[in-house]
Amino acid sequence: MASTLARELARVRTETGVARAFGNRGGVPTILFSKDEAADQDNDAVFAVGCNGLAGLVRLDRAFAPFFEDLFSAALKATDRMLMTKKENDELSRKVEEFLIRLSPHLQQHAAPKALEWLIRRF
C-alpha cells in the first residue's frame, strides 16, 4: 500500500512540475492574456515578455537591473518551488517581495504588467 501511495505521489509531483516548468496554465486568464491566449503562451514566450518588461523598467530606474539575475534569468525557467528547500524558497520570496516593493511606484508604466506576468507565471 505504501509503495502504491508513493508512486502516485511521485506521479502527481512529476505532472505538476512538468506543467509548471512548461508554463501550462490550463486556460487561466492572466493580467496580460485572456484564458485562451494564456493557454497558448509557453514558458519561453512569457519569459520573453517578462524580460521585455524588465528592460523597460531598467530604462526608467537602473535599480531594477539586478533583477535580471535574481528573478529573470533563463535558469529560473525550470525552477519548481515545490522542489526547493525552505531556505531557497524564503530567499526567492524575499527577492520577489523586494521586486514588488520597487515596482509599486511604477505600476502605471506599460512595462510593469509585462514583468509581473513572468513573476505570476513562474513564482
Side-chain angles (χ1 to χ4, degrees), residues 12-13 16-17 20 79-85 89:
V12 169
R13 264 192 228 109
T16 303
R20 286 184 182 156
T79 298
D80 185 346
R81 291 189 85 160
M82 292 179 66
L83 301 177
M84 295 171 71
T85 66
N89 262 304

Side-chain angles (χ1 to χ4, degrees), residues 27-74:
V28 175
T30 68
I31 61 173
L32 291 181
F33 304 112
S34 70
K35 68 178 185 171
D36 294 332
E37 292 170 325
D40 290 338
Q41 304 299 316
D42 67 7
N43 210 29
D44 290 328
V46 176
F47 177 72
V49 168
C51 287
N52 179 276
L54 183 59
L57 292 168
V58 169
R59 284 191 291 277
L60 296 170
D61 183 349
R62 294 285 308 153
F64 282 102
F67 293 107
F68 272 113
E69 183 178 327
D70 294 342
L71 297 174
F72 292 80
S73 72

Side-chain angles (χ1 to χ4, degrees), residues 57 60-61 64 101-113:
L57 292 168
L60 296 170
D61 183 349
F64 282 102
I101 290 168
R102 182 160 308 280
L103 182 66
S104 62
H106 303 285
L107 285 173
Q108 296 298 319
Q109 299 297 322
H110 185 66

